Amino acid sequence: MALAQTKIYTEDDYYNLPEDVRAELIDGQFYDMSAPSRIHQEILGGLYFTIRQYIREKGGSCKAYPAPFAVKLFADDKTIVEPDISVICDSDRLTDRGCTGAPDWIIEIVSPGNRKMDYIKKNSLYSDAGVREYWIVDPDKQRTMIYRYDGDDAPVMIPFEQPASVGIYDDLQITVAELIALNG
């Protein structure tokens, strides 16, 4: 007896989702995205503003994009994610639809419903895709996990009250607690 077949979705299916549906496509399967919390949005706004301002002040060539922003990680058409923040330094990866290839730096802000996705599935996915640096900002645990895949560095856990050094930039540090306080 044949096993039940699961439909494999593609990039075409992703771009044909109804406008009111937020989902990511990973390995041909859709994963629903829940609406972000207020604290999620405060952290997102603070991080995005800080990163964008830093790039602008330094005259950098990298671009920062907040979600929703489509990132097609691999050459196949079965994985498109929407990281909370994507920083892309190779302008050839930017298209009208988003980014094709791995961003240099990805930040995900954990929501209660996506904890395993951010810590396990996306961690592996981003490492395999060639992302240089991945931050998991966790409001519940008040910490940021930093993975630097372009070296053999072990992940680093930084409490929100301490400055976190950005690996792709030599002189940028971000203290998440200060970003939250600015919005308080």
Side-chain angles (χ1 to χ4, degrees):
M1 181 158 65
L3 295 174
Q5 297 294 308
T6 303
K7 179 169 174 45
I8 301 297
Y9 295 96
T10 67
E11 180 176 4
D12 289 337
D13 298 309
Y14 173 83
Y15 285 112
N16 285 310
L17 288 171
E19 291 210 17
D20 62 338
V21 174
R22 288 202 58 220
E24 293 178 302
L25 178 65
I26 299 175
D27 297 327
Q29 297 301 305
F30 279 113
Y31 293 85
D32 291 330
M33 299 174 68
S34 59
S37 67
R38 181 184 57 81
I39 191 68
H40 179 285
Q41 293 304 92
E42 286 181 11
I43 293 170
L44 174 67
L47 285 168
Y48 174 70
F49 177 80
T50 301
I51 295 163
R52 190 158 186 254
Q53 180 124 353
Y54 173 86
I55 293 169
R56 181 175 286 158
E57 287 174 0
K58 296 291 184 174
S61 60
C62 299
K63 300 282 186 183
Y65 296 94
F69 181 75
V71 175
K72 181 179 173 184
L73 288 170
F74 303 104
D76 70 19
D77 64 349
K78 293 173 185 61
T79 301
I80 299 175
V81 293
E82 294 184 14
D84 288 312
I85 298 177
S86 302
V87 177
I88 298 104
C89 299
D90 180 354
S91 63
D92 290 339
R93 293 184 182 187
L94 296 172
T95 69
D96 288 341
R97 287 191 155 171
C99 176
T100 299
D104 294 271
W105 180 20
I106 287 179
I107 299 172
E108 294 283 8
I109 302 164
V110 177
S111 295
N114 69 353
R115 180 170 299 286
K116 283 185 181 177
M117 178 68 80
D118 291 340
Y119 277 99
I120 298 169
K121 191 163 201 79
K122 286 188 176 179
N123 190 358
S124 176
L125 192 66
Y126 295 155
S127 174
D128 292 346
V131 172
R132 292 171 53 198
E133 184 164 353
Y134 174 40
W135 284 26
I136 303 172
V137 180
D138 194 329
D140 286 346
K141 297 192 183 280
Q142 296 283 300
R143 69 179 185 204
T144 302
M145 292 294 298
I146 299 174
Y147 297 85
R148 295 195 176 105
Y149 301 128
D150 59 354
D152 279 338
D153 300 342
V156 178
M157 181 180 67
I158 307 290
F160 277 6
E161 300 78 30
Q162 294 179 8
S165 296
V166 177
I168 69 166
Y169 297 116
D170 292 334
D171 60 345
L172 176 59
Q173 293 189 333
I174 299 173
T175 305
V176 175
E178 291 176 2
L179 301 177
I180 298 169
L182 290 175
N183 287 315

